[in-house]
């Protein structure tokens, strides 16, 4: 790791990240699951090579732009796990002519447009909403499912199965609640697969949230997992119980600008444009935007106390100086911030 940080910088611990990748790859192997990791967290060609070192050859992304970047980097089996943007159909068709591409539909109109305008072979999943209510077709909405399937018959598009993201696990209050959400989701998906398997015997069920994929042991009826955040983890995952602190592989390194002993706070150069305004609630009921920890010899250390970021504006970050370590900080010192959501921090600070 390099030293001499002057501005907010996103730092990755390669050893920890590679360990996280290896552990998830081995878990997928042990459960007989296809491992198609989501690359939206790191968005890094270099980190992508670490996945290749584990034998990974198929990936997930969240946009056509991201798919094109990784296709240019040599990845030729990509799922875009975002409902198809019909305004990008020409670009999708172009990419489908270069790689094995899977799309995502949750409306018949998307399937109709794709069927007419995509000439190259491509797969597609139907997005199932099993409780998160962000996007997708409800599992009992067979009318919509049938309209999507009908629209693609006799075209270049092949139905691959049902895909979901149980993002509601990110709002759980315990590991048991995560497992409850996960088990409910796979139950609904398993029933859905059974209803369509006779007509489409090779269809897959694909799930993707990091909390479930990290702690669950039951993957009955699941064929593929697509977690992404697990490569870095973050403060949210640590609070959820998805990881230990020693499994967090990314931090934002920030200079201390000012200290305010009378109010037990300090200012860092590191604000919403570096960390986002994603927040979680502390055990005391306060909204927090990150955890400030020591940065020594180009390595972040374990937390010394509840030194939480409690306020963010564009460039400013205010944190509470609760520990003896944080009370000793001076202007010009360097600290590490464990972000609430590493995916957003990585995106904001990517080079």
């Amino acid at each position: 790791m390099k030293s001499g940080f002057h501005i907010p910088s996103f730092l990755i611990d390669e050893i920890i990240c590679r360990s996280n990748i290896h552990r998830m790859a081995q878990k997928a192997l042990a459960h007989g699951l296809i491992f198609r990791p989501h690359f939206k967290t790191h968005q890094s060609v270099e980190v992508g090579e670490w996945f290749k070192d584990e034998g990974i050859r198929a990936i997930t992304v969240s946009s056509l732009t991201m798919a094109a970047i990784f296709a240019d980097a040599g990845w030729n089996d990509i799922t875009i796990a975002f409902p198809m943007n019909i305004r990008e159909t020409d670009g999708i068709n172009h990419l489908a002519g270069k790689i094995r591409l899977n799309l995502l539909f949750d409306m018949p109109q998307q399937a109709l447009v794709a069927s007419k305008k995509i000439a190259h072979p491509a797969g597609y999943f139907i997005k199932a909403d099993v409780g998160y209510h962000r996007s997708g077709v409800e599992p009992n909405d067979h009318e919509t499912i049938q309209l999507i399937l009908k629209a693609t018959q006799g075209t270049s598009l092949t139905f691959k199965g049902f895909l979901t993201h149980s993002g509601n696990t990110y709002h759980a209050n315990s590991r048991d609640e995560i497992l409850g959400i996960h088990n409910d989701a796979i139950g609904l998906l398993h029933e859905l697969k059974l209803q369509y398997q006779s007509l489409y015997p090779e269809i897959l069920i694909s799930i993707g949230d990091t909390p479930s994929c990290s702690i669950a042991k039951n993957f009955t009826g699941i064929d593929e997992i697509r977690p992404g955040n697990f490569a870095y983890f973050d403060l949210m995952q640590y609070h959820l119980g998805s990881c230990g602190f020693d499994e967090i592989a990314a931090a934002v390194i920030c200079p201390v600008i000012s200290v305010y002993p009378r109010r037990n706070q300090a200012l860092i150069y590191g604000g919403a444009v570096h960390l986002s305004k994603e927040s979680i609630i502390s055990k005391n009921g306060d909204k927090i935007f990150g955890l400030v920890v020591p940065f020594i010899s180009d390595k972040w250390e374990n937390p010394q106390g509840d030194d939480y970021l409690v306020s963010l504006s564009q460039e400013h970050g205010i944190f509470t100086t609760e520990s003896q370590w944080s009370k000793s900080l001076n202007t010009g010192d360097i600290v590490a911030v464990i972000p609430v959501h590493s995916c957003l921090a990585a995106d904001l600070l990517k080079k």
Side-chain angles (χ1 to χ4, degrees):
M1 295 182 181
K2 63 181 181 179
S3 58
F5 294 90
H6 306 293
I7 61 174
S9 303
F10 192 80
L11 190 64
I12 304 163
D13 188 310
E14 180 177 347
I15 294 174
I16 297 175
C17 185
R18 282 183 177 272
S19 176
N20 292 343
I21 295 168
H22 175 75
R23 185 170 56 255
M24 190 64 75
Q26 290 300 303
K27 183 170 188 176
L29 183 64
H31 287 274
L33 301 167
I34 300 166
F35 184 32
R36 184 185 287 272
H38 209 312
F39 275 21
K40 72 179 179 66
T41 296
H42 59 81
Q43 297 186 49
S44 164
V45 171
E46 180 181 356
V47 174
E49 294 300 310
W50 303 347
F51 283 85
K52 285 184 179 179
D53 290 344
E54 290 292 333
I56 308 306
R57 296 294 180 264
I59 64 172
T60 307
V61 298
S62 56
S63 69
L64 176 61
T65 300
M66 203 181 302
I69 290 170
F70 284 106
D72 287 343
W75 294 90
N76 61 14
D77 190 342
I78 301 176
T79 295
I80 303 176
F82 187 90
M84 193 189 85
N85 175 9
I86 62 173
R87 291 183 176 270
E88 292 185 307
T89 308
D90 289 343
I92 292 169
N93 184 48
H94 176 73
L95 188 59
K98 297 168 60 178
I99 67 168
R100 291 189 296 277
L101 184 66
N102 295 319
L103 307 173
L104 193 62
F105 302 147
D106 66 355
M107 292 186 66
Q109 292 89 336
Q110 297 156 347
L112 285 167
V113 171
S115 297
K116 293 176 182 178
K117 294 189 175 183
I118 297 178
H120 296 291
Y124 73 90
F125 286 88
I126 295 176
K127 177 68 178 289
D129 178 4
V130 292
Y132 188 28
H133 305 318
R134 182 175 68 177
S135 62
V137 181
E138 293 187 4
N140 61 358
D141 185 359
H142 296 288
E143 179 181 359
T144 297
I145 293 172
Q146 292 289 355
L147 286 171
I148 292 172
L149 293 171
K150 183 179 179 181
T152 61
Q153 289 177 355
T155 71
S156 62
L157 304 175
T158 301
F159 178 46
K160 301 297 290 289
F162 296 98
L163 177 153
T164 198
H165 174 72
S166 295
N168 40 338
T169 58
Y170 286 71
H171 305 295
N173 294 309
S174 66
R175 289 169 64 96
D176 285 344
E177 188 175 348
I178 291 170
L179 292 175
I181 292 169
H182 169 72
N183 289 330
D184 288 346
I186 66 173
L188 289 169
L189 292 166
H190 186 54
E191 290 179 13
L192 196 56
K193 183 178 182 178
L194 291 177
Q195 289 174 307
Y196 289 89
Q197 199 169 29
S198 60
L199 292 175
Y200 303 94
E202 296 183 358
I203 59 170
L204 305 174
I205 296 296
S206 177
I207 66 169
D209 62 295
T210 282
S212 292
C213 292
S214 295
I215 70 173
K217 297 180 180 179
N218 175 22
F219 294 93
T220 302
I222 302 302
D223 302 292
E224 176 180 272
I225 58 171
R226 313 176 326 279
N229 180 271
F230 76 94
Y232 290 165
F233 285 123
D234 49 35
L235 189 60
M236 181 182 294
Q237 298 298 330
Y238 177 55
H239 276 227
L240 284 171
S242 304
C243 68
F245 188 83
D246 61 351
E247 293 170 326
I248 296 175
V252 179
I253 312 306
C254 299
V256 176
I257 304 302
S258 305
V259 293
Y260 310 108
R262 289 189 177 184
R263 67 175 198 242
N264 290 323
Q265 290 184 332
L267 168 68
I268 57 170
Y269 179 17
V273 296
H274 310 110
L275 294 155
S276 86
K277 279 204 166 182
E278 186 94 15
S279 65
I280 56 176
I281 303 301
S282 73
K283 60 186 178 184
N284 296 323
D286 301 319
K287 183 182 289 188
I288 55 177
F289 302 93
L291 174 63
V292 179
V293 300
F295 186 66
I296 301 171
S297 300
D298 292 338
K299 178 74 174 71
W300 60 86
E301 303 287 331
N302 289 331
Q304 300 300 299
D306 293 337
D307 299 315
Y308 289 120
L309 274 175
V310 294
S311 177
L312 290 179
S313 49
Q314 183 162 324
E315 310 285 349
H316 298 64
I318 299 293
F319 71 95
T320 55
T321 52
E322 296 292 334
S323 69
Q324 287 301 117
W325 161 76
S326 63
K327 292 181 188 299
S328 69
L329 289 169
N330 289 305
T331 182
D333 287 342
I334 301 294
V335 297
V337 178
I338 308 302
V340 167
H341 196 167
S342 60
C343 304
L344 298 179
D347 182 68
L348 290 167
L349 291 169
K350 66 185 176 185
K351 295 181 181 179

